[in-house]
Amino acid sequence: MTRRARIFVAGHTGLVGSHLFRKLKEKGYTNLVYRTRKQLDLRDQEKVYDFFKRERPEYVFVAAARVGGILANRDHPAEFIYDNLAIQTNVIHTSYLLGVKKLLFLGSSCIYPRNCPQPMKEEYLLSGYLEKTNEPYAVAKISGIIMCQAYNQQYGTNFICAMPTNLYGPGDHFDPKSSHVIPGLISKFHEAKTLGRKFVEVWGTGKPMREFLFVEDLAEALIFLMENYNSSEIINVGTGEEISIKELAEMIKGVVGYQGQIKFDISKPDGTPRKLLDVSRISSLGWRARVGLKDGLAITYAWYLRNCKKLDSRKTHYNCKTAKH
Ligand code: GDP
């Protein structure tokens, strides 16, 4: 991928896309193509085709997706499967039709079976039943992977698939009802601190184990893979380290500086019991994550403080500016 290569970042305003976009620019890639959701609905096949025909991207990052936390997935399963299937199908198929040199499709660690042996190796894909709380999202992502592999096999394309673990960082979505655990808890602890609440409710039992990757590390990894990885085999991107939700909640409480109690709301789902990626494949290529969880949380909280509206009785605290870091 030369510095003048024409690169389309699908989803450049999202959590991953915005960091990826900035990093590409920092590294001297100047010929970037992008559209907001308003300008181009990636679920619309004809519009996607017209856009590709006009812009002729040579490299494509598929960072556009409908994403959300455990409750958003549970409550909007139809949107999670339809939007993701439509976006990725249009972008992957059009990339093939118009001769894109290389495409990187972004999956997720939730593609692995619920009771997968840990840490999860790439070959465990499709070896067991999925976690129910995010099955529609996972099935869409698995379809994207199989589609890339099928196109590589039949059409000789170079479409690669990266599987990131749970992500977090500046620019995330902080609405506690629909967000992932880290932005959700940052919002909740901050609100409790500001309003002097006695306790914060953390969903589930606190026992599930998760791995978290700082989004800037992922952006680095995606560029690294676009430059160095050319295989149909999926590749995990994570830190290789895990933490329980209880320990995570305590860490966020410390970063925010909240003094009250933590209560577990066991009426809310735990989801997958454990989700730790085996990162030996990407490690053997020479890539590793740099930002530790505590540092990443501090950076994310600082961003939240700078960008999210101040709390008062009328305003919502999670209404953050997006895509400016
Ligand atoms: P998951 O990895 O797909 O389950 O995604 P999430 O980030 O939504 O949730 C991770 C874990 O954190 C689950 O066990 C949740 O029940 C737990 N959790 C605890 N408190 C919260 C919260 O406030 N928001 C979210 N999204 N999850 C929480």
Side-chain angles (χ1 to χ4, degrees), residues 68-71 110 133-134 166 176 179-182 184-185 188 201-204 208 210 212 245 268-272 275:
I70 195 162
L71 288 199
C110 70
T133 48
N134 53 27
N166 288 30
S179 70
H180 286 105
V181 60
I182 289 182
L185 290 185
K188 288 196 220 171
E201 274 189 356
V202 173
W203 298 346
R210 292 288 185 276
F212 296 98
I245 295 301
K268 298 285 195 309
D270 266 347
T272 310
K275 235 197 294 190

Side-chain angles (χ1 to χ4, degrees), residues 27-191:
K27 286 181 190 288
Y29 293 100
T30 50
N31 202 358
L32 305 182
V33 191
Y34 51 93
R35 291 289 185 280
T36 61
R37 197 176 312 176
K38 240 181 164 175
Q39 292 167 329
L40 174 65
D41 183 349
L42 293 169
R43 297 169 305 179
D44 186 323
Q45 190 179 15
E46 217 177 300
K47 291 207 173 104
V48 171
Y49 186 84
D50 290 345
F51 162 75
F52 269 71
K53 197 127 197 238
R54 208 170 337 123
E55 297 293 345
R56 291 287 174 172
E58 298 167 281
Y59 294 84
V60 174
F61 288 92
V62 192
R66 175 172 287 275
V67 295
I70 195 162
L71 288 199
N73 271 272
R74 187 194 66 185
D75 298 340
H76 303 277
E79 289 163 63
F80 274 84
I81 193 160
Y82 175 77
D83 288 354
N84 287 307
L85 278 177
I87 291 168
Q88 69 202 34
T89 302
N90 292 339
V91 176
I92 294 169
H93 187 64
T94 310
S95 294
Y96 150 65
L97 287 178
L98 294 181
V100 163
K101 286 188 184 145
K102 187 165 179 180
L103 172 147
L104 186 151
F105 174 67
L106 216 62
S108 159
S109 59
C110 70
I111 55 146
Y112 292 110
R114 176 188 159 81
N115 294 317
C116 198
Q118 305 284 323
M120 303 185 289
K121 291 183 192 293
E122 286 87 351
E123 58 261 36
Y124 298 157
L125 174 65
L126 291 173
S127 62
Y129 292 107
L130 296 167
E131 157 63 29
K132 282 286 169 202
T133 48
N134 53 27
E135 193 175 56
Y137 176 77
V139 167
K141 289 292 182 187
I142 293 169
S143 304
I145 295 167
I146 302 295
M147 190 163 170
C148 288
Q149 293 174 337
Y151 279 48
N152 291 344
Q153 189 188 329
Q154 187 176 343
Y155 303 134
T157 47
N158 188 3
F159 294 171
I160 62 169
C161 301
M163 298 307 116
T165 193
N166 288 30
L167 301 168
Y168 72 100
D172 209 341
H173 177 66
F174 285 83
D175 177 350
K177 288 193 266 335
S178 59
S179 70
H180 286 105
V181 60
I182 289 182
L185 290 185
I186 287 178
S187 290
K188 288 196 220 171
F189 279 115
H190 178 75
E191 181 179 291

